[in-house]
Amino acid sequence: VDEGGPSMGDVKCVFLGDRFVGKTNLVRAMAGEEVVVDEHPEEAGTVSVSVQDGEVDVTVHLADVQAKGSSTEAALEEVLAEADVVVIVFSISVRSSFEAVTFWRQLASRCAPRAPVIVVGAKCDLRSDEETKHFLRSQGKPMVSEEEVRAGWPAVEW
């Protein structure tokens, strides 16, 4: 029954990215749940949170999907087809996850062509962690720099 008040809206926000980049903890934090540090948490699945946009109540469904290689492409395409927003997450401490943004962007463009795409660099707290910086330097794998990200995504084909 419509009582003339603001209607409830639903928004499905799908989080994509390589494994262990921080998608699950990002979803958990947005849902007000505990963030698990120094572990690889299980996929959060879909978590729904209610927010208010002006006078309109909106339910945001945050879908944490498994990374490529652990999910079939058909399953990813099915989830993406229902997306209103796509969030691509990479870890600043894993250069290959930054380079994989191209793959995720192409998948999102194909399966959810009208959904806006937001790219998030996660684990920025590691930028000031000396142990992590030392380890990555010793492996010849420097962190993704802010300059690289701001320079127009040289590693990403839009």
Side-chain angles (χ1 to χ4, degrees):
V1 175
D2 183 6
E3 298 177 9
S7 63
M8 175 71 103
D10 282 273
V11 175
K12 185 168 187 178
C13 183
V14 176
F15 289 74
L16 296 175
D18 287 358
R19 294 184 61 160
F20 310 127
V21 295
K23 296 182 306 294
T24 299
N25 277 333
L26 184 56
V27 168
R28 286 181 174 171
M30 292 177 75
E33 296 179 9
E34 181 181 357
V35 173
V36 181
V37 180
D38 295 331
E39 287 185 29
H40 298 296
E42 292 296 316
E43 173 184 350
T46 299
V47 178
S48 298
V49 295
S50 294
V51 296
Q52 199 164 35
D53 181 17
E55 294 183 18
V56 178
D57 290 326
V58 178
T59 300
V60 181
H61 306 281
L62 307 168
D64 174 18
V65 299
Q66 292 184 359
K68 63 185 176 191
S70 58
S71 225
T72 67
E73 192 165 324
L76 287 173
E77 289 174 357
E78 186 178 317
V79 172
L80 278 168
E82 301 172 355
D84 296 303
V85 177
V86 176
V87 178
I88 299 172
V89 183
F90 70 92
S91 170
I92 68 155
S93 64
V94 182
R95 182 163 294 280
S96 62
S97 73
F98 174 65
E99 293 164 354
V101 169
T102 298
F103 169 83
W104 296 113
R105 179 67 179 110
Q106 289 169 348
L107 184 64
S109 292
R110 187 174 71 246
C111 301
R114 287 185 291 227
V117 175
I118 300 167
V119 179
V120 176
K123 301 187 180 183
C124 292
D125 56 313
L126 295 178
R127 199 175 299 287
S128 61
D129 181 46
E130 292 302 322
E131 186 177 329
T132 300
K133 289 193 304 189
H134 175 73
F135 174 76
L136 291 172
R137 276 195 304 269
S138 73
Q139 300 294 309
K141 300 177 181 178
M143 286 190 195
V144 177
S145 70
E146 288 182 48
E147 292 76 25
E148 287 176 276
V149 175
R150 293 175 194 257
W153 299 90
V156 178
E157 298 246 348
W158 294 98

